[in-house]
Amino acid sequence: MKYQIITIFPEIFTSYFSHSIIARAQKNNLIDIKIHDLRKWATDKHKTVDDTPYGGGAGMILKVEPLYKALKELAPRKKKTRKIILTSAKGKTFNQTVAKSYSKNIKEMIIICGRYEGVDERIKEFIDEELSIGNYVLTGGEIPAMAIVDASTRLLPKVLGNKESIINESHNKVGTLEYPQFTKPQNFKTRKKILSVPDILLSGNHEEIKKWRQKHQSKQ
Ligand code: SAM
């Protein structure tokens, strides 16, 4: 999967994408991530990418021309296997089902990170999806872009060492969450009580453990 992210804050991504599973997936050539500074496509000497809203109102709006130029360069032709995504608090909710569908059917994502009060509405002529990561408003589209890249990458073949991780993970089946997990110590003592691991998980009886886990998978 190739990810191309358009942002006015490219350095935000460096740390997150250079750790753990996402770093390993890049190293193993399972994904390729390119971060593009939107200012590269600004047309004036001050590299302006935002302006005041028509009709008045608070804040600034990301201009359509630099974004259009960016898309013309990064996606000169339409491709069935590529999605151009605008991050937006108003968009369709990004969830595990959407992530699964991308990881199966898409080979490239171009993700536009909005900022300020948002993006000139005319950009919608040139995108495929407007995605929200939840019903709240963030300062910019960088965290949503990281969430989309992360959730979709985990579902790509060979990215996770153990396939079981995906099968039992929350939301793999719609409405099902992962069973409760415990690790050492067996008895965790606080000043008021001892919190113990359920006996069944210490029994070594894999059939019974499986049944217990199935019983305790919360349904949404
Ligand atoms: N004025 C906009 C509104 O009320 O919908 C919010 C703009 S927000 C401060 C700036 C940018 O952050 C948005 O253009 C979008 O790219 C991103 N953003 C904020 N919340 C988001 C969310 N829940 N999901 C995806 N993107 C979000």
Side-chain angles (χ1 to χ4, degrees):
M1 178 84 84
K2 181 170 184 181
Y3 300 101
Q4 308 224 56
I5 297 174
I6 305 171
T7 171
I8 58 167
F9 294 115
E11 41 315 307
I12 286 180
F13 294 90
T14 318
S15 171
Y16 192 75
F17 287 158
S18 52
H19 287 89
S20 184
I21 289 170
I22 303 297
R24 210 165 49 234
Q26 291 174 88
K27 206 171 140 221
N28 294 337
N29 295 319
L30 299 171
I31 61 167
D32 177 41
I33 305 176
K34 296 266 182 307
I35 312 291
H36 302 282
D37 188 343
L38 178 62
R39 291 189 199 281
K40 181 180 153 194
W41 291 282
T43 47
D44 65 331
K45 68 173 181 190
H46 302 293
K47 304 276 175 211
T48 311
V49 289
D50 59 309
D51 212 329
T52 51
Y54 276 115
M60 301 296 273
I61 307 296
L62 280 185
K63 289 160 72 65
V64 70
E65 302 108 300
L67 283 168
Y68 175 72
K69 283 179 75 186
L71 293 180
K72 282 268 269 195
E73 187 175 325
L74 301 178
R77 286 171 302 282
K78 261 212 164 293
K79 268 192 200 167
K80 270 193 185 152
T81 54
R82 176 171 59 215
K83 280 242 181 273
I84 302 178
I85 295 162
L86 172 67
T87 56
S88 163
K90 299 186 284 188
K92 160 178 135 182
T93 305
F94 176 74
N95 57 24
Q96 194 75 355
T97 308
V98 177
K100 267 192 194 174
S101 139
Y102 286 174
S103 65
K104 256 199 204 135
N105 308 315
I106 299 302
K107 295 211 171 359
E108 185 180 346
M109 285 186 213
I110 298 181
I111 307 175
I112 300 170
C113 304
R115 272 276 156 178
Y116 312 123
E117 281 307 310
V119 182
D120 187 315
E121 191 73 10
R122 289 169 287 186
I123 195 60
K124 291 199 189 148
E125 290 284 319
F126 313 106
I127 61 162
D128 301 308
E129 301 257 32
E130 193 181 354
L131 289 185
S132 161
I133 60 160
N135 292 342
Y136 41 81
V137 176
L138 296 161
T139 309
E142 287 73 16
I143 290 174
M146 286 191 257
I148 293 165
V149 169
D150 189 314
S152 309
T153 298
R154 290 175 65 77
L155 298 168
L156 293 172
K158 299 188 194 148
V159 166
L160 294 189
N162 186 344
K163 273 192 198 161
E164 293 286 304
S165 316
I166 293 183
I167 294 167
N168 292 320
E169 222 157 34
S170 301
H171 311 297
N172 183 40
K173 277 191 232 130
V174 175
T176 304
L177 303 178
E178 195 184 56
Y179 47 77
Q181 299 268 32
F182 301 86
T183 186
K184 296 177 186 71
Q186 186 182 332
N187 297 307
F188 173 54
K189 293 181 190 143
T190 69
R191 263 195 299 167
K192 288 197 176 142
K193 52 179 155 180
I194 298 176
L195 300 167
S196 298
V197 174
D199 288 340
I200 186 73
L201 299 180
L202 311 167
S203 68
N205 184 334
H206 296 297
E207 252 331 286
E208 288 305 310
I209 292 173
K210 196 170 160 192
K211 276 191 214 153
W212 183 90
R213 286 179 165 165
Q214 276 167 353
K215 188 175 153 207
H216 286 83
Q217 277 188 314
S218 347
K219 306 276 183 240
Q220 280 180 317

